[in-house]
Amino acid sequence: QVQLVESGGGLVQAGGSLRLSCAPSGLTFSRYTMGWFRQAPGKEREFVAAISGTGSRTNYADSVKGRFTISRNNAKNTVYLEMNSLKPEDTAVYFCAAALGVVITSIPDRYDYWGQGTQVTVSS
């Protein structure tokens, strides 16, 4: 059974930093593109960042470019999202997701497995 477990969320002041982690189990981690998405109250789920199976390619939403960094450690079966210069508008539940058979994608429907999410709250 595949499970994706996120951790690292919390409450932080604007301008602060957080690092999210996601540790999938039940799948061959290096074969999967991994993505981070977020959903704020009353809004649709939106793409944040994605990284290819080898880690050689990444993609970011314009709203987080230069502030967030996605990375992965295939030896530890973990993907990370380093978030710096956080803004109140970054407040959301953050989800990690795994996609097999795609190089890299921002489309939620292309992802096969999803975590339960971790709350990130940025106070002004």
Side-chain angles (χ1 to χ4, degrees), residues 56-109:
S56 61
R57 294 181 62 176
T58 58
N59 188 28
Y60 296 92
D62 288 342
S63 58
V64 306
K65 273 181 188 173
R67 300 189 299 122
F68 290 13
T69 302
I70 189 170
S71 62
R72 65 191 296 158
N73 184 329
N74 284 353
K76 294 185 177 181
N77 276 20
T78 304
V79 61
Y80 306 96
L81 185 68
E82 184 77 35
M83 305 186 294
N84 298 315
S85 302
L86 282 161
K87 305 175 182 179
E89 50 264 44
D90 294 318
T91 295
V93 177
Y94 283 70
F95 300 87
C96 80
L100 180 66
V102 296
V103 175
I104 198 165
T105 181
S106 61
I107 303 172
D109 286 349

